[in-house]
Amino acid sequence: MTEQTMEPLAKHTTFRIGGPADYYLIPESRHEVREAVLYAKEKKLPFYILGKGSNVLFSDEGFRGVVIEVGKGMSGIALERAGVVRVQAGTSMSAMAAKMAEWGLAGFEFAAGIPGTLGGGIAMNAGAYNGEIKDCILTATVLDQSGRVRILKADELELGYRTSIIQKEEYIVLEAEFYFESGNPEGIKAHMRDLNSRRRDKQPLEFPSAGSTFKRPEGYFAGKLIMDSGLAGYQVGGAQVSEKHCGFVINAGGATARDVRTLMDNVRDIVYKKYGVTLEPEVKFLGDFEA
């Protein structure tokens, strides 16, 4: 297991923002994940499981605790039997989608452009373009807060819109099994290219961001509410509401965590005053934002 101290979190998040973590651990097996969690608990320090850092905002002061990266050290994909694949939690969803296409397995194309790891994707039931993790997962192997490894079936995962029992019980995903129907590899790859082209056309992929900044309110679209509130291009410091897609807050250059948090709070307040709809962040805030 790799251990680093005072590791800048801006290096590990898609926002490219965040101060240092007191301890930054990179386990390479489920045993080392358990060791890392015990390490944090023995020191009585808070800990956070990080994948590719695609849905988080660490404060400018950083994280006074232990960040455990379940990422490159725990990635791998294996074909177990016809249509069934076993994937480690640190595998990027885009890499998994590419491998499924190569093997002629259809149903994971939606994830090709999602910039996160499988563990995070399961925890939030990641989805796009009418596809979600819940559509194809069979089981998830998790570490619970007592340090016990458990295997949960799909119906035990309580997968809903950006939610799961993983989040509720603070489980740590170690690996998962999926089932996919056979398809034509070239057709699957063409579908993925089409979805990625649509993403490039509609999303500000040229700027650091955390993806969709707010959850979709029931009966509405967050991006449209923000746009209709006249907030396209609205800026606080280096943080900006994307003019290309108002559902994204981007790091337009030199943004601090405080810039992003202030902008998000202001957007939420303005939208509520105009439409009476409360926008709930999809981005998770970590660290001290009161300083």
Side-chain angles (χ1 to χ4, degrees):
M1 177 159 49
T2 303
E3 178 181 339
Q4 295 158 335
T5 57
M6 298 307 291
E7 176 69 5
L9 292 164
K11 291 169 50 178
H12 302 283
T13 65
T14 57
F15 251 137
R16 298 292 177 256
I17 294 172
D22 287 351
Y23 301 94
Y24 194 89
L25 307 181
I26 307 175
E28 297 186 6
S29 68
R30 64 171 63 181
H31 174 69
E32 289 189 352
V33 172
R34 187 172 184 276
E35 281 188 337
V37 171
L38 290 175
Y39 175 89
K41 289 187 174 182
E42 285 168 4
K43 287 182 172 288
K44 295 183 169 56
L45 291 170
F47 66 91
Y48 183 74
I49 305 298
L50 187 71
K52 284 185 169 292
S54 60
N55 214 41
V56 297
L57 179 68
F58 284 101
S59 75
D60 300 309
E61 287 69 37
F63 189 73
R64 304 285 71 80
V66 182
V67 174
I68 303 169
E69 180 193 296
V70 177
K72 55 183 177 288
M74 281 191 64
S75 61
I77 306 171
L79 184 62
E80 294 284 289
R81 54 192 184 276
V84 177
V85 295
R86 181 179 296 274
V87 190
Q88 287 187 284
T91 305
S92 78
M93 284 190 282
S94 57
M96 180 177 166
K99 181 60 73 174
M100 296 307 98
E102 179 187 324
W103 286 347
L105 296 175
F108 208 64
E109 296 93 319
F110 72 88
I114 298 177
T117 57
L118 183 65
I122 295 171
M124 67 179 294
N125 186 30
Y129 297 107
N130 299 314
E132 294 179 295
I133 290 289
K134 73 178 181 64
D135 299 333
C136 47
I137 193 167
L138 294 176
T139 67
T141 301
V142 304
L143 186 72
D144 68 19
Q145 285 295 307
S146 71
R148 184 165 62 112
V149 174
R150 303 178 59 186
I151 298 177
L152 303 177
K153 295 179 182 178
D155 60 359
E156 296 176 298
L157 290 169
E158 298 179 14
L159 297 170
Y161 176 65
R162 303 298 178 262
T163 186
S164 69
I165 197 170
I166 307 292
Q167 293 183 40
K168 295 172 188 172
E169 299 294 338
E170 298 184 333
Y171 293 152
I172 300 166
V173 180
L174 301 172
E175 63 180 30
E177 276 193 335
F178 293 83
Y179 175 77
F180 301 105
E181 297 283 353
S182 294
N184 176 271
E186 291 310 312
I188 295 168
K189 291 174 185 176
H191 187 202
M192 285 168 52
R193 286 194 297 270
D194 175 59
L195 294 182
N196 284 332
S197 174
R198 289 160 64 182
R199 280 189 175 94
R200 287 191 298 272
D201 288 344
K202 296 179 180 180
Q203 299 177 8
L205 303 181
E206 65 273 26
F207 291 98
S209 78
S212 296
T213 309
F214 296 97
K215 295 180 182 179
R216 185 178 68 240
E218 189 172 351
Y220 298 90
F221 290 99
K224 188 173 190 313
L225 287 170
I226 295 167
M227 181 178 67
D228 291 348
S229 297
L231 293 170
Y234 173 67
Q235 195 156 347
V236 174
Q240 184 183 58
V241 174
S242 169
E243 294 179 279
K244 191 173 187 179
H245 190 315
C246 289
F248 286 66
V249 171
I250 61 172
N251 180 351
T256 64
R258 172 53 61 190
D259 291 342
V260 175
R261 180 66 183 264
T262 300
L263 183 147
M264 289 178 64
D265 288 346
N266 292 351
V267 166
R268 179 200 61 208
D269 292 346
I270 291 167
V271 168
Y272 182 77
K273 285 177 184 175
K274 190 170 180 65
Y275 293 104
V277 178
T278 300
L279 294 180
E280 183 182 348
E282 191 164 309
V283 175
K284 185 172 290 187
F285 302 110
L286 295 164
D288 183 7
F289 282 85
E290 301 305 319

CSV table of all heavy atoms in Angstrom, one decimal, residues 156-188:
chain,number,residue,atom,x,y,z
A,156,GLU,N,-30.8,-5.9,-3.1
A,156,GLU,CA,-30.4,-5.5,-1.8
A,156,GLU,C,-29.6,-4.2,-1.8
A,156,GLU,O,-29.4,-3.5,-0.8
A,156,GLU,CB,-29.5,-6.5,-1.1
A,156,GLU,CG,-30.2,-7.9,-0.9
A,156,GLU,CD,-29.2,-8.9,-0.3
A,156,GLU,OE1,-28.2,-9.3,-1.0
A,156,GLU,OE2,-29.4,-9.3,0.8
A,157,LEU,N,-29.3,-3.7,-3.0
A,157,LEU,CA,-28.5,-2.5,-3.2
A,157,LEU,C,-29.3,-1.2,-3.1
A,157,LEU,O,-28.8,-0.1,-2.9
A,157,LEU,CB,-27.7,-2.5,-4.5
A,157,LEU,CG,-26.5,-3.6,-4.5
A,157,LEU,CD1,-26.0,-3.7,-6.0
A,157,LEU,CD2,-25.4,-3.2,-3.6
A,158,GLU,N,-30.6,-1.4,-3.2
A,158,GLU,CA,-31.5,-0.2,-3.1
A,158,GLU,C,-31.1,0.9,-4.0
A,158,GLU,O,-31.0,2.1,-3.7
A,158,GLU,CB,-31.6,0.3,-1.7
A,158,GLU,CG,-32.2,-0.8,-0.7
A,158,GLU,CD,-32.3,-0.3,0.7
A,158,GLU,OE1,-32.1,0.9,1.0
A,158,GLU,OE2,-32.4,-1.1,1.6
A,159,LEU,N,-30.9,0.5,-5.3
A,159,LEU,CA,-30.4,1.5,-6.3
A,159,LEU,C,-31.6,2.4,-6.8
A,159,LEU,O,-32.6,1.9,-7.3
A,159,LEU,CB,-29.8,0.8,-7.5
A,159,LEU,CG,-28.5,0.0,-7.1
A,159,LEU,CD1,-28.1,-0.9,-8.3
A,159,LEU,CD2,-27.4,0.9,-6.7
A,160,GLY,N,-31.4,3.7,-6.6
A,160,GLY,CA,-32.4,4.7,-7.0
A,160,GLY,C,-31.7,5.8,-7.7
A,160,GLY,O,-30.5,5.7,-8.1
A,161,TYR,N,-32.4,6.9,-7.9
A,161,TYR,CA,-31.8,8.1,-8.6
A,161,TYR,C,-30.7,8.6,-7.7
A,161,TYR,O,-30.9,9.2,-6.7
A,161,TYR,CB,-32.8,9.1,-8.9
A,161,TYR,CG,-32.2,10.4,-9.5
A,161,TYR,CD1,-31.6,10.3,-10.8
A,161,TYR,CD2,-32.2,11.6,-8.8
A,161,TYR,CE1,-31.0,11.4,-11.3
A,161,TYR,CE2,-31.6,12.7,-9.4
A,161,TYR,CZ,-31.0,12.6,-10.6
A,161,TYR,OH,-30.4,13.7,-11.2
A,162,ARG,N,-29.5,8.4,-8.1
A,162,ARG,CA,-28.2,8.9,-7.4
A,162,ARG,C,-28.2,8.5,-6.0
A,162,ARG,O,-27.7,9.2,-5.1
A,162,ARG,CB,-28.1,10.4,-7.6
A,162,ARG,CG,-28.1,10.9,-9.0
A,162,ARG,CD,-26.9,10.3,-9.8
A,162,ARG,NE,-27.0,10.8,-11.2
A,162,ARG,CZ,-27.5,10.1,-12.2
A,162,ARG,NH1,-28.0,8.9,-12.0
A,162,ARG,NH2,-27.5,10.6,-13.4
A,163,THR,N,-28.7,7.3,-5.7
A,163,THR,CA,-28.7,6.8,-4.3
A,163,THR,C,-28.6,5.3,-4.3
A,163,THR,O,-28.8,4.6,-5.3
A,163,THR,CB,-29.9,7.3,-3.5
A,163,THR,OG1,-29.8,6.9,-2.2
A,163,THR,CG2,-31.2,6.6,-4.1
A,164,SER,N,-28.2,4.8,-3.1
A,164,SER,CA,-28.0,3.3,-2.9
A,164,SER,C,-27.8,3.0,-1.4
A,164,SER,O,-27.6,3.9,-0.6
A,164,SER,CB,-26.8,2.8,-3.7
A,164,SER,OG,-25.6,3.2,-3.1
A,165,ILE,N,-27.9,1.8,-1.1
A,165,ILE,CA,-27.6,1.4,0.3
A,165,ILE,C,-26.2,1.6,0.6
A,165,ILE,O,-25.8,1.7,1.8
A,165,ILE,CB,-28.1,-0.1,0.6
A,165,ILE,CG1,-28.2,-0.3,2.1
A,165,ILE,CG2,-27.1,-1.1,-0.1
A,165,ILE,CD1,-28.8,-1.6,2.5
A,166,ILE,N,-25.3,1.6,-0.4
A,166,ILE,CA,-23.9,1.9,-0.2
A,166,ILE,C,-23.7,3.2,0.5
A,166,ILE,O,-22.9,3.3,1.4
A,166,ILE,CB,-23.1,1.9,-1.6
A,166,ILE,CG1,-23.4,0.6,-2.4
A,166,ILE,CG2,-21.6,2.1,-1.4
A,166,ILE,CD1,-22.9,-0.6,-1.9
A,167,GLN,N,-24.4,4.2,0.0
A,167,GLN,CA,-24.3,5.5,0.6
A,167,GLN,C,-24.9,5.6,2.0
A,167,GLN,O,-24.3,6.1,2.9
A,167,GLN,CB,-25.0,6.6,-0.3
A,167,GLN,CG,-24.3,6.8,-1.6
A,167,GLN,CD,-25.1,7.9,-2.4
A,167,GLN,OE1,-25.5,8.9,-1.8
A,167,GLN,NE2,-25.2,7.7,-3.7
A,168,LYS,N,-26.1,5.0,2.1
A,168,LYS,CA,-26.8,5.0,3.4
A,168,LYS,C,-26.0,4.3,4.5
A,168,LYS,O,-26.0,4.8,5.7
A,168,LYS,CB,-28.2,4.3,3.2
A,168,LYS,CG,-29.1,5.1,2.3
A,168,LYS,CD,-30.4,4.2,2.0
A,168,LYS,CE,-31.3,4.8,0.9
A,168,LYS,NZ,-32.4,3.9,0.6
A,169,GLU,N,-25.4,3.2,4.2
A,169,GLU,CA,-24.7,2.4,5.3
A,169,GLU,C,-23.2,2.7,5.3
A,169,GLU,O,-22.5,2.1,6.0
A,169,GLU,CB,-25.0,0.9,5.1
A,169,GLU,CG,-26.5,0.5,5.2
A,169,GLU,CD,-27.0,0.8,6.5
A,169,GLU,OE1,-26.3,0.8,7.5
A,169,GLU,OE2,-28.3,0.9,6.7
A,170,GLU,N,-22.8,3.5,4.4
A,170,GLU,CA,-21.3,3.9,4.2
A,170,GLU,C,-20.5,2.6,4.0
A,170,GLU,O,-19.4,2.4,4.6
A,170,GLU,CB,-20.8,4.6,5.5
A,170,GLU,CG,-21.5,6.0,5.7
A,170,GLU,CD,-21.0,6.8,6.9
A,170,GLU,OE1,-20.5,6.1,7.8
A,170,GLU,OE2,-21.1,8.0,6.8
A,171,TYR,N,-21.0,1.8,3.1
A,171,TYR,CA,-20.2,0.6,2.7
A,171,TYR,C,-19.1,1.0,1.7
A,171,TYR,O,-19.2,2.1,1.1
A,171,TYR,CB,-21.1,-0.4,2.0
A,171,TYR,CG,-22.2,-1.1,2.8
A,171,TYR,CD1,-23.4,-1.6,2.3
A,171,TYR,CD2,-21.9,-1.3,4.2
A,171,TYR,CE1,-24.3,-2.2,3.1
A,171,TYR,CE2,-22.9,-2.0,5.0
A,171,TYR,CZ,-24.1,-2.4,4.4
A,171,TYR,OH,-25.0,-3.0,5.2
A,172,ILE,N,-18.1,0.2,1.5
A,172,ILE,CA,-17.1,0.5,0.6
A,172,ILE,C,-17.1,-0.6,-0.5
A,172,ILE,O,-17.0,-1.8,-0.2
A,172,ILE,CB,-15.7,0.4,1.2
A,172,ILE,CG1,-15.6,1.5,2.3
A,172,ILE,CG2,-14.6,0.7,0.2
A,172,ILE,CD1,-14.5,1.4,3.3
A,173,VAL,N,-17.3,-0.3,-1.7
A,173,VAL,CA,-17.4,-1.3,-2.8
A,173,VAL,C,-16.0,-1.8,-3.1
A,173,VAL,O,-15.1,-1.0,-3.3
A,173,VAL,CB,-18.0,-0.6,-4.1
A,173,VAL,CG1,-18.1,-1.7,-5.2
A,173,VAL,CG2,-19.4,-0.1,-3.8
A,174,LEU,N,-15.9,-3.1,-3.2
A,174,LEU,CA,-14.6,-3.8,-3.5
A,174,LEU,C,-14.6,-4.3,-5.0
A,174,LEU,O,-13.7,-4.1,-5.7
A,174,LEU,CB,-14.4,-4.9,-2.6
A,174,LEU,CG,-14.3,-4.5,-1.1
A,174,LEU,CD1,-14.2,-5.8,-0.2
A,174,LEU,CD2,-13.1,-3.6,-0.8
A,175,GLU,N,-15.8,-4.9,-5.4
A,175,GLU,CA,-15.9,-5.4,-6.7
A,175,GLU,C,-17.4,-5.7,-7.0
A,175,GLU,O,-18.2,-5.6,-6.1
A,175,GLU,CB,-15.1,-6.7,-7.0
A,175,GLU,CG,-15.5,-7.9,-6.2
A,175,GLU,CD,-14.6,-9.1,-6.4
A,175,GLU,OE1,-13.4,-8.9,-6.8
A,175,GLU,OE2,-15.1,-10.2,-6.3
A,176,ALA,N,-17.7,-6.0,-8.3
A,176,ALA,CA,-19.1,-6.3,-8.6
A,176,ALA,C,-19.2,-7.2,-9.8
A,176,ALA,O,-18.2,-7.3,-10.6
A,176,ALA,CB,-19.8,-5.0,-8.9
A,177,GLU,N,-20.3,-7.9,-9.9
A,177,GLU,CA,-20.6,-8.7,-11.1
A,177,GLU,C,-21.7,-8.1,-11.9
A,177,GLU,O,-22.7,-7.5,-11.3
A,177,GLU,CB,-21.0,-10.1,-10.6
A,177,GLU,CG,-19.9,-11.0,-10.3
A,177,GLU,CD,-20.4,-12.5,-10.2
A,177,GLU,OE1,-21.6,-12.7,-9.8
A,177,GLU,OE2,-19.6,-13.4,-10.4
A,178,PHE,N,-21.6,-8.2,-13.2
A,178,PHE,CA,-22.6,-7.7,-14.1
A,178,PHE,C,-23.0,-8.7,-15.1
A,178,PHE,O,-22.2,-9.6,-15.4
A,178,PHE,CB,-22.0,-6.4,-14.9
A,178,PHE,CG,-21.8,-5.3,-14.0
A,178,PHE,CD1,-20.6,-5.2,-13.3
A,178,PHE,CD2,-22.7,-4.2,-13.9
A,178,PHE,CE1,-20.3,-4.1,-12.4
A,178,PHE,CE2,-22.5,-3.1,-13.0
A,178,PHE,CZ,-21.3,-3.1,-12.3
A,179,TYR,N,-24.2,-8.5,-15.7
A,179,TYR,CA,-24.6,-9.4,-16.8
A,179,TYR,C,-24.9,-8.5,-18.0
A,179,TYR,O,-25.7,-7.5,-17.9
A,179,TYR,CB,-25.8,-10.2,-16.5
A,179,TYR,CG,-26.3,-11.0,-17.6
A,179,TYR,CD1,-25.6,-12.2,-18.0
A,179,TYR,CD2,-27.4,-10.6,-18.4
A,179,TYR,CE1,-26.0,-12.9,-19.2
A,179,TYR,CE2,-27.8,-11.3,-19.5
A,179,TYR,CZ,-27.1,-12.5,-19.9
A,179,TYR,OH,-27.5,-13.2,-21.0
A,180,PHE,N,-24.4,-8.9,-19.2
A,180,PHE,CA,-24.7,-8.2,-20.4
A,180,PHE,C,-25.1,-9.2,-21.5
A,180,PHE,O,-24.5,-10.3,-21.6
A,180,PHE,CB,-23.5,-7.4,-20.9
A,180,PHE,CG,-23.0,-6.4,-19.9
A,180,PHE,CD1,-21.9,-6.6,-19.1
A,180,PHE,CD2,-23.7,-5.2,-19.7
A,180,PHE,CE1,-21.4,-5.7,-18.2
A,180,PHE,CE2,-23.3,-4.3,-18.8
A,180,PHE,CZ,-22.1,-4.5,-18.0
A,181,GLU,N,-26.0,-8.8,-22.4
A,181,GLU,CA,-26.4,-9.6,-23.6
A,181,GLU,C,-25.3,-9.4,-24.6
A,181,GLU,O,-24.6,-8.4,-24.7
A,181,GLU,CB,-27.7,-9.1,-24.1
A,181,GLU,CG,-28.9,-9.2,-23.2
A,181,GLU,CD,-29.4,-10.7,-23.1
A,181,GLU,OE1,-28.9,-11.5,-23.9
A,181,GLU,OE2,-30.3,-11.0,-22.3
A,182,SER,N,-25.2,-10.4,-25.5
A,182,SER,CA,-24.2,-10.4,-26.6
A,182,SER,C,-24.7,-9.4,-27.6
A,182,SER,O,-25.9,-9.2,-27.8
A,182,SER,CB,-24.0,-11.7,-27.2
A,182,SER,OG,-23.4,-12.6,-26.3
A,183,GLY,N,-23.7,-8.7,-28.3
A,183,GLY,CA,-24.1,-7.8,-29.3
A,183,GLY,C,-22.9,-7.7,-30.3
A,183,GLY,O,-21.9,-8.4,-30.2
A,184,ASN,N,-23.1,-6.9,-31.3
A,184,ASN,CA,-22.1,-6.8,-32.4
A,184,ASN,C,-21.1,-5.7,-31.9
A,184,ASN,O,-21.4,-4.6,-31.6
A,184,ASN,CB,-22.8,-6.3,-33.7
A,184,ASN,CG,-21.7,-6.0,-34.8
A,184,ASN,OD1,-21.2,-4.9,-34.9
A,184,ASN,ND2,-21.4,-7.0,-35.5
A,185,PRO,N,-19.8,-6.1,-31.8
A,185,PRO,CA,-18.8,-5.2,-31.3
A,185,PRO,C,-18.7,-3.9,-32.0
A,185,PRO,O,-18.6,-2.8,-31.4
A,185,PRO,CB,-17.5,-6.0,-31.5
A,185,PRO,CG,-17.9,-7.4,-31.4
A,185,PRO,CD,-19.2,-7.5,-32.1
A,186,GLU,N,-18.8,-3.9,-33.4
A,186,GLU,CA,-18.7,-2.7,-34.1
A,186,GLU,C,-19.9,-1.8,-33.9
A,186,GLU,O,-19.8,-0.6,-33.8
A,186,GLU,CB,-18.5,-3.0,-35.6
A,186,GLU,CG,-17.2,-3.6,-36.0
A,186,GLU,CD,-16.0,-2.8,-35.4
A,186,GLU,OE1,-16.0,-1.5,-35.5
A,186,GLU,OE2,-15.1,-3.4,-34.7
A,187,GLY,N,-21.1,-2.4,-33.8
A,187,GLY,CA,-22.3,-1.7,-33.5
A,187,GLY,C,-22.3,-1.0,-32.1
A,187,GLY,O,-22.7,0.1,-31.9
A,188,ILE,N,-21.7,-1.8,-31.1
A,188,ILE,CA,-21.6,-1.2,-29.8
A,188,ILE,C,-20.6,0.0,-29.7
A,188,ILE,O,-20.9,1.0,-29.1
A,188,ILE,CB,-21.1,-2.3,-28.8
A,188,ILE,CG1,-22.2,-3.4,-28.7
A,188,ILE,CG2,-20.8,-1.8,-27.4
A,188,ILE,CD1,-21.7,-4.7,-28.0
